[in-house]
Amino acid sequence: GYEELPRAVNITWSSINFKTILQWQPKPSGYFYTVEIHGRTSDVKRKCILTSETECDVTDALRNVKETYTAHILSVMPAEMDNFEEPPFAISEKFTPYNQTVIGKPEIKNYSQDGSKLNVVFKDPLTPYIFPNGSFQSIQDIFQHDLEYKLYYWKDQSSGKKDITTKSHNFEVSVDSGKNYCFYVQGIIPSRRENRNGRESTVLCTSVGRNILDEYGTEVFIILAVIAVAVITLAIVLPVVLCKRKKAKRARAVREKELLNGV
């Protein structure tokens, strides 16, 4: 009967940009799982009915992102067997998407360094939720004034990092003219207690007047210097060696000639 079925354990929520996956253990054998999403003010929603998997995409059941939910993982027998008994189930920790989903990486659309100004334009991560016109909502559409972005930037090959914050989608910062800079962008929700900082965008670098020494540093300079010294040394030593060999050859020829004459 149902009493003997294992209950789900290690139930976890995994959510990035409001795409939310529920995971648990163990893998079922001879029975299935059904997921029920319970909200404080919303109706119970059933997902992944009679699944043999140990994860379930529950994004669609969490559309009210400010609602607090719990998941009931039911252990159930195959459909053809007696299912009038209430199945055993395990309950997850509470989950509020608005407070707990992780902010994904912003996308750098373009950037430029003009003189002493570094300009960076970026784009919000998208969520799985859509507007009535069919376009996807961005995290900015959902978080609105609660979301801000921070640009971290530093002089190329330097460890001194600076930052600036904005609620728009572009940065303009003052930098040293003619010097290359690297940077990344990160979403932040200051009002949160956990998951305040989002994932960092790809690190990019400008290339104003970049040359081989900028790219590879002093190592290349040392290698080039060693090669130059070797070439100069060879240019000096080789003629001397050839000259000595030529003189030795002449002296040997003279001695051989004298010996022949003596005979």
Side-chain angles (χ1 to χ4, degrees):
Y2 277 125
E3 296 83 2
E4 299 176 1
L5 294 182
R7 296 173 188 261
V9 296
N10 299 331
I11 304 171
T12 58
W13 299 90
S14 176
S15 183
I16 301 176
N17 297 331
F18 295 100
K19 181 175 178 63
T20 305
I21 307 295
L22 196 65
Q23 296 174 308
W24 63 90
Q25 294 174 328
K27 191 79 173 173
S29 177
Y31 67 99
F32 298 93
Y33 292 113
T34 292
V35 177
E36 290 183 349
I37 301 297
H38 295 248
R40 285 179 177 173
T41 61
S42 55
D43 295 333
V44 175
K45 299 180 179 67
R46 295 189 123 200
K47 300 287 291 182
C48 302
I49 298 170
L50 295 176
T51 181
S52 59
E53 302 298 324
T54 55
E55 69 174 42
C56 182
D57 187 337
V58 295
T59 304
D60 288 345
L62 311 181
R63 289 184 177 275
N64 182 358
V65 297
K66 293 189 177 181
E67 172 76 287
T68 297
Y69 300 93
T70 55
H72 291 196
I73 314 295
L74 283 61
S75 300
V76 295
M77 297 294 285
E80 66 269 20
M81 298 185 68
D82 177 17
N83 59 358
F84 292 103
E85 274 186 81
E86 183 178 357
F89 61 89
I91 303 177
S92 72
E93 297 287 333
K94 295 177 180 179
F95 180 75
T96 306
Y98 194 87
N99 296 334
Q100 293 174 262
T101 195
V102 175
I103 307 299
K105 295 181 179 182
E107 179 187 345
I108 307 299
K109 291 177 66 177
N110 56 67
Y111 63 96
S112 63
Q113 186 176 335
D114 185 11
S116 61
K117 293 294 181 183
L118 171 64
N119 293 278
V120 179
V121 180
F122 63 94
K123 188 168 65 174
D124 294 306
L126 297 178
T127 75
Y129 301 127
I130 60 174
F131 288 111
N133 65 6
S135 62
F136 286 97
Q137 296 182 49
S138 70
I139 60 168
Q140 180 76 63
D141 294 322
I142 294 177
F143 286 113
Q144 298 184 14
H145 63 276
D146 285 340
L147 174 67
E148 58 188 38
Y149 284 99
K150 188 167 283 191
L151 173 76
Y152 293 90
Y153 63 103
W154 60 95
K155 198 175 295 184
D156 196 2
Q157 300 181 21
S158 168
S159 59
K161 189 182 293 185
K162 298 180 180 179
D163 63 80
I164 184 173
T165 302
T166 185
K167 290 195 174 183
S168 66
H169 292 92
N170 63 280
F171 292 98
E172 181 177 285
V173 295
S174 296
V175 295
D176 292 342
S177 181
K179 299 292 184 180
N180 293 305
Y181 281 79
C182 297
F183 62 89
Y184 64 85
V185 178
Q186 183 180 38
I188 297 173
I189 302 179
S191 61
R192 281 184 171 185
R193 291 184 177 180
E194 56 180 318
N195 292 331
R196 293 179 75 251
N197 298 332
R199 294 186 173 179
E200 300 168 0
S201 73
T202 303
V203 175
L204 297 173
C205 299
T206 61
S207 55
V208 178
R210 187 179 291 273
N211 55 42
I212 192 168
L213 293 183
D214 294 324
E215 291 281 356
Y216 300 104
T218 56
E219 292 85 354
V220 168
F221 178 79
I222 293 171
I223 292 171
L224 292 175
V226 169
I227 292 173
V229 169
V231 170
I232 292 170
T233 302
L234 187 62
I236 295 172
V237 171
L238 187 60
V240 173
V241 171
L242 291 175
C243 183
K244 287 184 177 180
R245 290 186 64 183
K246 188 178 290 186
K247 287 181 178 179
K249 189 175 181 180
R250 287 177 181 173
R252 189 166 58 251
V254 169
R255 286 197 300 273
E256 290 175 354
K257 188 175 181 180
E258 288 175 349
L259 289 171
L260 290 172
N261 291 335
V263 174

